[in-house]
Amino acid sequence: AIATVALRVMHPQQYWTGLQAFASLGDKAGSKELPKMSETLQYWATVFNILTIICNRETPNHRDHSSIPECFDILTSMGNYSNARMSIPSL
């Protein structure tokens, strides 16, 4: 929910477009009689449609070529760390 609030502040157009997309999915699920999809959408607490969890791993440098440059990807780090490093060489 925090990422959704941040998106609403930083990029309101993307936020409202995400809400419209989920409303449209709910309408389609209802019209096609897909009850599990309708139920799942009620509990999906973010306008983001992808969540990736990387736990205690090093990932190779990469770019998200399917990301729209005007929109945001959000990276969140959680937990207590000692001797942790995060490097973003393209910034």
Side-chain angles (χ1 to χ4, degrees), residues 54-61 75-89:
I54 302 169
C55 181
N56 296 326
R57 298 285 181 244
E58 181 175 332
T59 62
N61 292 339
L75 175 64
T76 303
S77 179
M78 300 185 314
N80 297 321
Y81 298 99
S82 61
N83 197 26
R85 290 180 294 133
M86 182 166 87
S87 172
I88 305 176

Side-chain angles (χ1 to χ4, degrees), residues 3-20 47-48 70-72:
T4 298
V5 170
L7 181 66
R8 184 170 182 189
V9 171
M10 294 185 295
H11 202 299
Q13 183 180 359
Q14 185 180 358
Y15 169 81
W16 290 111
T17 300
L19 283 183
Q20 289 173 343
V47 296
F48 294 97
E70 296 81 20
C71 296
F72 292 97

Side-chain angles (χ1 to χ4, degrees), residues 23-57:
S24 178
L25 284 172
D27 293 343
K28 298 271 189 222
S31 69
K32 296 189 183 288
E33 298 181 12
L34 300 168
K36 288 189 183 228
M37 184 174 178
S38 293
E39 183 179 335
T40 300
L41 288 170
Q42 291 176 24
Y43 297 106
W44 193 260
T46 177
V47 296
F48 294 97
N49 58 4
I50 295 175
L51 172 68
T52 303
I53 297 174
I54 302 169
C55 181
N56 296 326
R57 298 285 181 244

